[in-house]
Amino acid sequence: MQVPSGVRRAFRLPASSGQITRDLEDEVAFHVAMRVQSLERAGRSHDDAIAQAQRKFGDVQDLHDYCVALEVPHMQRAQARERLSSIAQDLRFALRQMRRSPAFALIASLTLALGVGATTAIFSVVNGVVLKPLPFSDPQQLVQLWGIDANGRHLHFADPTFDHLLAENHTLSAAAEYNTGDMSFSTNGTATRVTAAGVSKEFFRVLNVRPELGRSFAPEDQQKGSPMVILISHGLWMRLFGGSESVIGTIIKSGETPITIIGVLPAGKEFPAGTDAWYPREPFGEATSYTAHNWNVIARVKDGVTTEAATRDVSMVLRRLHAAVGDATWTLDGTAIPLRDQIIGSVKVLLLLILGASAVLLLIACANVANLLIARMAVRESEIAVRVAIGAGRGRIAQQLLIETSLLAAVGCLGGMVIAAAGMKMLLVLRPALIPRVGELSLDWRVLVFAVVISAATAVALALVAAWRGTAGDLRAALSQSQRTQGGGGASYRVRGSLVVVQLAMTVVLLIGAGLLARSFVGLMSIDPGFRTHGMVVAGTVFDEPRDTNYIGRRSVYYQQLAERALAIPGVTSVGISDAPPFSNGSSNGEFLVLDNAGIKLAPSALEGMFNDKARTGYATYRTATGGYFKAMGIPVLSGRVFDATDRAGGPEVAVINAALAHKRWPNGDAMGKVIEFGNIDGDLTPMTIVGIVGDTREQDLAADPLPAAYVDFDQRPGNSNEMFVIMAASNEAGAIAAARRAFPQVRADVPMRFLTVEDIIGRSVDSQRFMLLLVGIFGAVALLLATLGVYSVISYLVAQRGREISIRVALGASAPQIVHLVLKQGVALSLVGAIIGGVAALAATRVLKRLLYQVSPTDPIAFATVLVVLCGVALVASYVPARRAAAFEPMDVLRGG
Amino acid sequence: MPRDASDLLHGTLDVLVLKTLSWGAMHGYAIAEWIEHRGGGHLVIVDAALYKALHRLEESGAITSEWGLSDNKRRAKYYSLTTRGRARLRSESETWKRYALAVGRIIESS
């Protein structure tokens, strides 16, 4: 620059805005220099010329600010354009890379898709079940109320207890009783079995639900003797009435009782879940009994009242009542549980466990992809070295890697959503009874955000790993050595080896979890439930007849005819009937009195007093059964007899008890001939004589010990369930079901029925265990597959990397088995380290499974040993393939650089 | 900076610069000389205002610039007219001619 230094100094601008300032400074300096020259030519002195040129030029600072203000947005746009174009360029490059190695792209995206898919599917369940609020307004105000007895058990409410609660509480804005059961529902002569809830008048006010069509219950609907009315669910409305508005006012029949439909509830607002119809509750006929614990209670707390405050309040009312009425209430205390906790209960822990397992799977998938990426980085080290050499900064390289991994993660995320959607469908098909609110599951925005976030996090993590590996070490060395295979190899092997060890360890944890669950499941399924399970068919029949004095007689006739039809079915050898076979949820339970004499029918007032005498009471489940029931179920008669044709209505009343009750109540073996009375359950108040003792059966829960049970005669006593079960021992289950489906409606078409096998029923009781086992098992299998791939790829890499060394060994006379041994040693070392770390981690982790295990310790040595052996075996096989390849090396090929 | 000169020439200066550049690429000093010479000494331009106009015009895409060497081998920034600048010169010249005519008529009639 030939501008005189004085001129430059005079016009030096503040050093800001870089390029603009420098350019402008040059431009101004040139201008002034020209002006000064011209003035000097005109005869001015140098200093004078500079001063005048300066004056003539004006405010340089103002010009500078003006130009900066003009150009900054312009420059920013240019920079953004440049950044975008560099991203587009990197994206094109990444796509080219993917096209060039489609196998890598496919495996990496699939692996990520598996991890993201599994985690997203499970998260969507957690979201639907645990995170989403209940579909009622102010759901946090809804609570379920319970009484608590001396043993800490939760009790349902008896009517008078509920009345006290309503009158004396200070924290509830509304409370309602409800109870669900099966009901026959006939329209135009076709009977359907529906789940119906009898509810007290405040029920819909507690939930704050209004019918979408028709009206809710009016006070007069609740009065005794008023015409029966019913509200139906949106689902039932669609199913039976095709969504027609003329359904309001339609009269349906339940047995012989006509009922008018007055309203339809909006979809998704069913409570309890799965209820098809709601009717004004009718008391069971013992509205004055404090021990008829028959009602569920839901309540809404007042604004600003906490659950704890409600619990204190309810407890106070119940304790006061207990003090006033005495032991007869059983209810010592009370509690309020948030309705959401009540519904999701223990499932929450289960789901969070499964979510944890799926997160482990995702980590394993990430480790695998990281492993693959590092393998590729080793190959691409020279490419990256070139990029660095021509001036790409680490940031630029990192950007490119991030774009490459983001592309993988994006494909993985999309694939994962597909897998998640399919997985959700599978869950819905399994539809395990243990998952409440399963109908509300959906892939909503929270799930999508979740999938995108974990995919993005995965992309960043992978890019960091790749960038660290890709730009670490001496790049110039990598560049110069790029023709050889060992550029940065040692360090790379260590990193990849560690990733595989982590993978193996996590796989061990998942597999041991699956192993424990499997052992527990097998143990559970091999428990003898005390009755025959194979070749057993159950027909559930809803006999909805008015319970008048002729009820038992009408019912006996009907079921006698059913039994005859059943016995006529080829292959059916025996038939029995009960209101509460095991796993049916039909049984009632309660206290009985032991009386001195069968002949006397005591007054209710006399019985009330006797309940306070512990020497005179016992506790048992209460079931109605025919004599044929025990034979059909394969329940052995241990002493005495079961019901037979001599036991008739009006004759001497008899009872059969199980061994558990005999041992518990009469440990001296003198149960036979004792007289008992279940007045507070059957309302009959007629004493029964114990005429037989039968074997124990497990109820509801295979893992729980058999409960004391008393059976009453089907022809002498009503049961407590609307649903009666016809049990058939049949050689061909499917054939018997098909035949019964045809034959039974010929007796009466208006009794709705469902047919099941006993195996199905028992199978359902272990739904939660099966579900957990299935999911953890699938995760474990996928993890094992990924870990195997990991071991295989690392050992293959090792073999390639040590090709020269191995060739030299072969050239020096090492035998093939020696080479195989050399390579296998590496695989074994990796799997042993992984197995040991995994085993220790599993010892810590599987404790959380404890509650789900049956007779298996969380540290069960068989499960641990099996998994460790399987894992090491699989790792050995995965290393054997590359080992064989190494043994087949032709030394000269390798040494020549082949 | 003397605002009056700047204000007087605002807008006018842009047209003058465009017109000057229609003769060919020039650096800032040459443009200033050219305008002052052609204006017969009646138009005195504050140099800073000229450069503001140049940068303004460049930003709007009417002219473009390039660093080059001056006649005396100094590094200088040369401005030249773009297609867009040529079109703008045509339309603004018309406007200016009509404007000047109208102003002249009013002044002479009074």
Side-chain angles (χ1 to χ4, degrees):
Chain A
M1 193 100 248
Q2 292 151 19
V3 178
S5 57
V7 175
R8 284 202 73 84
R9 239 185 340 267
F11 289 89
R12 189 144 295 242
L13 285 163
S16 68
S17 299
Q19 194 58 42
I20 301 175
T21 305
R22 278 191 299 279
D23 280 359
L24 195 58
E25 191 179 297
D26 282 357
E27 200 173 12
V28 172
F30 173 78
H31 182 101
V32 174
M34 293 296 281
R35 172 90 63 211
V36 168
Q37 224 171 52
S38 157
L39 288 169
E40 280 175 347
R41 265 204 299 275
R44 302 288 184 119
S45 74
H46 184 65
D47 291 349
D48 198 19
I50 287 180
Q52 187 168 351
Q54 216 166 334
R55 241 186 343 269
K56 173 85 171 53
F57 195 91
D59 190 341
V60 180
Q61 183 62 51
D62 179 64
L63 170 64
H64 172 257
D65 294 347
Y66 184 83
C67 290
V68 168
L70 263 182
E71 291 195 16
V72 162
H74 181 70
M75 261 169 46
Q76 279 168 344
R77 271 200 306 278
Q79 272 166 6
R81 254 200 310 277
E82 196 181 334
R83 207 171 304 136
L84 270 180
S85 93
S86 87
I87 288 176
Q89 188 187 339
D90 286 351
L91 199 60
R92 274 196 300 276
F93 185 76
L95 281 169
R96 223 168 28 242
Q97 286 283 340
M98 275 179 115
R99 259 207 311 277
R100 203 175 297 156
S101 44
F104 165 79
L106 191 71
I107 291 175
S109 329
L110 261 183
T111 306
L112 288 179
L114 270 179
V116 172
T119 317
T120 305
I122 302 304
F123 176 78
S124 61
V125 176
V126 172
N127 175 49
V129 176
V130 182
L131 302 181
K132 255 198 215 164
L134 295 177
F136 304 108
S137 59
D138 297 317
Q140 74 287 349
Q141 291 182 340
L142 292 171
V143 290
Q144 183 110 29
L145 302 183
W146 296 97
I148 296 177
D149 73 2
N151 299 319
R153 277 187 310 184
H154 283 186
L155 294 180
H156 291 118
F157 277 71
D159 268 332
T161 313
F162 180 71
D163 292 342
H164 274 281
L165 184 75
L166 275 191
E168 296 169 29
N169 84 79
H170 301 291
T171 52
L172 309 175
S173 60
E177 290 178 304
Y178 69 94
N179 205 335
T180 54
D182 290 308
M183 166 182 170
S184 76
F185 193 98
S186 339
T187 50
N188 308 323
T190 328
T192 323
R193 175 179 176 275
V194 301
T195 305
V199 303
S200 69
K201 60 180 179 227
E202 297 278 285
F203 186 77
F204 293 115
R205 224 195 91 199
V206 171
L207 294 177
N208 198 4
V209 169
R210 265 177 260 284
E212 70 168 293
L213 194 67
R215 63 172 177 92
S216 194
F217 300 126
E220 57 270 24
D221 296 326
Q222 313 274 342
Q223 273 153 23
K224 236 186 157 65
S226 61
M228 283 283 281
V229 295
I230 200 165
L231 282 158
I232 61 173
S233 71
H234 185 90
L236 192 69
W237 181 40
M238 288 292 155
R239 215 156 61 232
L240 294 187
F241 303 97
S244 159
E245 300 212 349
S246 64
V247 70
I248 303 300
T250 301
I251 294 172
I252 57 114
K253 275 188 150 183
S254 183
E256 295 299 308
T257 316
I259 305 178
T260 309
I261 297 175
I262 58 165
V264 177
L265 282 197
K269 300 267 189 183
E270 298 89 5
F271 181 85
T275 305
D276 299 309
W278 295 260
Y279 57 91
R281 57 155 231 169
E282 33 181 341
F284 285 123
E286 67 284 76
T288 56
S289 165
Y290 282 101
T291 51
H293 299 113
N294 290 321
W295 297 99
N296 296 293
V297 172
I298 47 165
R300 187 177 280 278
V301 299
K302 289 177 180 163
D303 282 339
V305 171
T306 62
T307 313
E308 292 74 28
T311 291
R312 279 194 301 277
D313 185 34
V314 170
S315 289
M316 190 110 72
V317 173
L318 295 185
R319 265 183 259 143
R320 219 167 28 230
L321 181 69
H322 184 258
V325 178
D327 273 351
T329 69
W330 294 11
T331 307
L332 293 183
D333 209 346
T335 183
I337 296 174
L339 191 59
R340 208 171 71 108
D341 292 356
Q342 184 78 51
I343 292 175
I344 60 184
S346 59
V347 177
K348 188 172 170 179
V349 179
L350 186 77
L351 286 178
L352 292 179
L353 272 177
I354 298 176
L355 186 63
S358 67
V360 170
L361 184 68
L362 178 65
L363 281 178
I364 294 176
C366 284
N368 233 30
V369 176
N371 215 333
L372 286 171
L373 272 175
I374 291 172
R376 262 163 56 85
M377 291 314 295
V379 177
R380 288 175 56 189
E381 252 170 15
S382 58
E383 169 216 320
I384 289 188
V386 168
R387 291 171 75 95
V388 172
I390 60 176
R394 270 186 185 224
R396 191 74 180 68
I397 299 280
Q399 177 188 311
Q400 189 212 318
L401 292 173
L402 183 61
I403 283 172
E404 283 183 33
T405 54
S406 298
L407 199 60
L408 284 180
V411 176
C413 181
L414 284 179
M417 283 184 201
V418 173
I419 291 178
M424 297 258 308
K425 270 210 192 86
M426 201 181 76
L427 289 179
L428 288 179
V429 168
L430 290 176
R431 216 172 238 281
L434 83 147
I435 298 194
R437 313 177 67 188
V438 80
E440 296 173 40
L441 293 186
S442 60
L443 283 173
D444 73 359
W445 63 269
R446 267 169 290 224
V447 177
L448 297 182
V449 166
F450 176 85
V452 169
V453 165
I454 58 171
S455 302
T458 303
V460 170
L462 290 176
L464 285 179
V465 173
W468 167 59
R469 277 308 306 151
T471 59
D474 188 346
L475 284 163
R476 238 167 315 169
L479 194 55
S480 65
Q481 289 183 1
S482 63
Q483 290 312 303
R484 287 184 248 152
T485 45
Q486 59 216 38
S492 182
Y493 174 74
R494 275 197 299 282
V495 175
R496 300 186 58 195
S498 325
L499 280 175
V500 166
V501 165
V502 170
Q503 247 182 323
L504 288 168
M506 289 193 285
T507 304
V508 166
V509 175
L510 279 184
L511 284 180
I512 286 181
L516 291 173
L517 291 168
R519 293 247 308 141
S520 165
F521 191 71
V522 169
L524 211 51
M525 290 313 280
S526 56
I527 291 171
D528 175 12
F531 53 88
R532 193 164 42 223
T533 55
H534 295 294
M536 298 286 292
V537 170
V538 172
T541 58
V542 180
F543 187 79
D544 253 341
E545 294 277 285
R547 295 214 171 182
D548 55 25
T549 43
N550 297 320
Y551 171 73
I552 289 179
R554 286 199 310 275
R555 191 182 68 171
S556 292
V557 169
Y558 172 62
Y559 283 99
Q560 184 55 43
Q561 286 172 333
L562 277 197
E564 279 164 16
R565 299 268 175 170
L567 278 170
I569 295 170
V572 171
T573 52
S574 53
V575 176
I577 292 153
S578 171
D579 68 337
F583 299 95
S584 68
N585 285 324
S587 66
S588 314
N589 51 54
E591 274 187 320
F592 59 83
L593 285 176
V594 183
L595 303 178
D596 305 322
N597 194 318
I600 306 165
K601 193 164 171 171
L602 292 163
S605 54
L607 292 172
E608 286 279 319
M610 290 170 79
F611 271 111
N612 288 333
D613 178 4
K614 289 292 162 206
R616 282 199 172 275
T617 60
Y619 184 86
T621 60
Y622 174 96
R623 294 177 198 146
T624 298
T626 62
Y629 173 75
F630 302 97
K631 187 168 173 231
M633 289 288 287
I635 299 170
V637 182
L638 303 178
S639 62
R641 65 174 181 93
V642 294
F643 311 120
D644 60 27
T646 64
D647 302 314
R648 298 181 169 282
E653 305 228 338
V654 291
V656 169
I657 63 172
N658 73 355
L661 178 56
H663 289 307
K664 189 158 188 269
R665 184 61 187 76
W666 293 278
N668 302 323
D670 52 349
M672 293 288 285
K674 287 283 185 295
V675 178
I676 60 170
E677 169 53 70
F678 268 101
N680 61 332
I681 293 187
D682 63 12
D684 176 278
L685 304 186
T686 304
M688 313 173 266
T689 308
I690 295 171
V691 295
I693 300 174
V694 297
D696 294 334
T697 53
R698 290 180 190 246
E699 307 284 323
Q700 318 311 346
D701 183 358
L702 278 177
D705 287 334
L707 297 171
Y711 297 87
V712 299
D713 189 291
F714 188 77
D715 293 330
Q716 293 182 335
R717 306 249 164 172
N720 276 315
S721 165
N722 269 2
E723 188 170 27
M724 293 288 161
F725 298 85
V726 181
I727 289 119
M728 293 167 268
S731 52
N732 173 357
E733 293 175 345
I737 288 179
R741 231 186 253 287
R742 279 192 305 273
F744 286 6
Q746 290 168 11
V747 181
R748 259 178 77 163
D750 65 340
V751 175
M753 298 189 183
R754 56 173 178 153
F755 293 90
L756 297 158
T757 67
V758 170
E759 277 172 337
D760 287 342
I761 296 171
I762 294 180
R764 270 180 215 172
S765 76
V766 291
D767 256 351
S768 77
Q769 287 91 341
R770 196 209 327 270
F771 181 64
M772 183 83 187
L773 172 62
L774 188 71
L775 283 181
V776 176
I778 291 174
F779 291 169
V782 174
L784 187 63
L785 179 71
L786 293 178
T788 310
L789 280 175
V791 171
Y792 171 78
S793 77
V794 164
I795 298 298
S796 296
Y797 173 72
L798 184 79
V799 166
Q801 187 201 337
R802 291 174 64 183
R804 291 169 69 87
E805 177 208 327
I806 292 171
S807 301
I808 292 169
R809 284 173 190 264
V810 172
L812 291 177
S815 66
Q818 277 170 326
I819 299 297
V820 169
H821 180 251
L822 180 77
V823 176
L824 279 189
K825 232 170 45 189
Q826 301 286 333
V828 170
L830 283 181
S831 58
L832 274 183
V833 176
I836 288 167
I837 296 176
V840 173
L843 279 180
T846 51
R847 257 182 305 182
V848 297
L849 288 178
K850 194 162 186 166
R851 250 168 15 98
L852 294 169
L853 298 181
Y854 172 74
Q855 289 191 347
V856 175
S857 148
T859 58
D860 179 54
I862 295 177
F864 272 71
T866 312
V867 166
L868 296 182
V869 166
V870 165
L871 187 88
C872 290
V874 167
L876 216 57
V877 172
S879 346
Y880 184 71
V881 178
R884 287 290 309 176
R885 210 164 41 228
F889 273 168
E890 281 300 328
M892 290 321 288
D893 288 353
V894 178
L895 293 177
R896 281 198 200 105
Chain B
M1 142 175 193
R3 289 194 65 83
D4 53 349
S6 167
D7 287 349
L8 184 71
L9 291 174
H10 205 276
T12 316
L13 186 53
D14 288 8
V15 188
L16 296 179
V17 169
L18 290 174
K19 179 70 191 170
T20 307
L21 288 178
S22 71
W23 298 102
M26 278 181 221
H27 51 67
Y29 182 74
I31 296 169
E33 292 265 86
W34 182 280
I35 291 175
E36 282 172 16
H37 179 69
R38 285 290 170 112
H42 296 293
L43 292 173
V44 179
I45 300 172
V46 176
D47 295 336
L50 171 68
Y51 282 96
K52 277 188 187 175
L54 284 171
H55 284 262
R56 188 163 62 234
L57 286 168
E58 187 175 14
E59 178 64 26
S60 76
I63 61 175
T64 174
S65 72
E66 200 179 8
W67 285 94
L69 286 182
S70 69
D71 297 340
N72 52 8
K73 302 289 174 239
R74 284 180 184 169
R75 193 164 108 71
K77 199 172 180 184
Y78 283 82
Y79 296 89
S80 52
L81 216 51
T82 62
T83 317
R84 190 188 294 182
R86 226 169 276 284
R88 186 164 154 191
L89 173 61
R90 265 198 302 278
S91 82
E92 291 196 3
S93 303
E94 284 307 308
T95 312
W96 255 100
K97 271 185 225 160
R98 276 198 302 272
Y99 177 69
L101 206 66
V103 172
R105 263 194 213 131
I106 290 165
I107 289 170
E108 270 166 27
S109 69
S110 61

